[in-house]
Amino acid sequence: MFKPITIKDIAQALDLSPSTVSRALSDSYEINEETKKRVIEYAEQHSYRRNPMASSLRHGRSYSIGVIVCEVANSFFSQAIDGIESVAYGKGYHVIISQSHDAYEREVVNIQHLANRAVDGLLISMSAETKDFSHITTLHEQGLPIVFFDRIIDVFDTHTVTSDNKKGAQKATQSLIDRGFKKIAHLANAPHLSITAERLEGFESALRANNIPLNESLIRYCHHGGRIQREVEEAVRYFLDLDERPDAIFVASDRLSMGCLSAYNKLAPKAEHPAIAGFSNSDVLDLLQPGFTCIRQPAIEMGRVAMEMLIQLIESRYPVHEFENTVLETELISR
C-alpha cells in the first residue's frame, strides 16, 4: 500500500522539528539557507508532496473547482473544459469534472458529491432534464460561489457566460434560406433550457425576415437533449411521415445534430435526407454529411471567462453584489 512521506518523516530523518521542516518548505525567513537546502533536497529525493487536506484546513480553501457538464465527449464541452483548466491551473486551482449526461438525478448526485468534497466553487451547465433547482439554490444560500455557462438559469444573481444564441440561430436558418430552402423544420432541445428559447427566437426571426410563415408543426422538442437516441429518431420519423416533408432542418445542439444525422441514415435513403444546419463544435459531423453548415461557439473562451468569474467570486474579500452576464459571438462555418 502506497504511503506518502510526511513532514514528520522528513523531520525525523534530518533530526529537525516538524515545525522547522514546515517553515523550510514554505521558504520562511526564519530558517537559514543551509537548513532550507537540506530539507528541500531530501523532500525532492523522496517525492514529498504537500497534503492538500491539511493545506485546505490551514487556508480555509481546497483550491479545487467542481465543473458540471452534460458530457465530456461533446466537442463543445471538451473545448470549454480546456479553457476552464487553462485559467484554473494558472491560478493554482485543480478541476474536478462531473458529467450529468443530461439526467436530473445524475446532476443532483454529482453536485452534492462535489459540495461534500468542499470544492471552493462550482461551474455549471444545466442538464436538459433539470426543472427543480433546489439542489443548486440551497448551496448558493449556504454561500458556495456558483457561475453558470452556456445553459444558464436565473433563480439567483450570479455571473453567467453564454453565446449569442439568437443571432447564431438566425445565421444558421438564414444560411438554409439562402440556399433556396423554404420548408424548414426545427429540432430543438428541452423546452425549458435557456438556450432552447433563445435559439427558437433566432429561428423564428430569420423566417419573419424572409416572409416565411412559421409552421408550429415543424418544431419538435427533445426533452432529454439527445441523450436518448430513440427520442431523436421519433422526431425524425415524424418529419418523414409528414405529407409535406421539410426540405431543411435547423438543429439546436451538437448532440442533437449527431443524433439527427444518424437517425436519417438509419431511417431513410440518402436521397430523402433534408439539408441540415445547426450548432456544433465538432468536425466529425462533416464526415456524416458533407457540406454540413454549423454555428460554432467560442467554447474555449467561454470556459476561460467563466473560470475567471468564479475565481473572482471565490477570492473576493467582500460580498459581490454586481454580476456580469457575458454574451460571446458565434461563428458560421459554411462548408
Side-chain angles (χ1 to χ4, degrees), residues 169 186 195-205 219 221 250:
H186 178 32
I195 59 173
T196 302
E198 292 166 0
R199 294 174 186 180
L200 176 60
E201 187 179 357
F203 169 71
E204 293 176 348
S205 176
I219 301 173
Y221 294 94
F250 162 55

Side-chain angles (χ1 to χ4, degrees), residues 264-282:
Y264 268 104
N265 285 334
K266 176 181 177 180
L267 299 173
K270 202 75 173 176
E272 297 180 16
H273 292 196
I276 295 178
F279 278 74
S280 176
N281 277 49
S282 172

Side-chain angles (χ1 to χ4, degrees), residues 235-250:
V236 167
R237 192 175 282 109
Y238 167 82
F239 291 142
L240 288 169
D241 288 342
L242 290 173
D243 291 336
E244 291 191 28
R245 294 179 180 177
D247 53 14
I249 302 177
F250 162 55

Side-chain angles (χ1 to χ4, degrees), residues 45 52 85 96 130 153 193 196 219 240 247 249 277 319 321 324:
Q45 290 168 4
E85 290 183 332
I96 304 172
T130 301
I153 56 176
L193 284 175
T196 302
I219 301 173
L240 288 169
D247 53 14
I249 302 177
H321 299 293
E324 296 180 43

Side-chain angles (χ1 to χ4, degrees), residues 76 191 235 237 297 323:
F76 166 78
R237 192 175 282 109
Q297 300 177 82
F323 300 98

Side-chain angles (χ1 to χ4, degrees), residues 102 126-131 133 151-153 186-201 216 219-226 231 252-253 256:
D102 271 328
M126 301 300 300
S127 108
E129 293 182 358
T130 301
K131 299 177 184 177
F133 310 126
R151 304 168 173 193
I152 65 176
I153 56 176
H186 178 32
L187 185 61
N189 218 314
H192 58 275
L193 284 175
S194 59
I195 59 173
T196 302
E198 292 166 0
R199 294 174 186 180
L200 176 60
E201 187 179 357
E216 297 280 358
I219 301 173
R220 304 299 289 179
Y221 294 94
C222 290
H223 294 258
H224 301 281
E231 182 180 47
S253 77
L256 286 177

Side-chain angles (χ1 to χ4, degrees), residues 70-82:
C70 71
E71 62 173 354
V72 175
N74 183 302
S75 297
F76 166 78
F77 287 111
S78 66
Q79 292 163 20
I81 289 168
D82 283 346

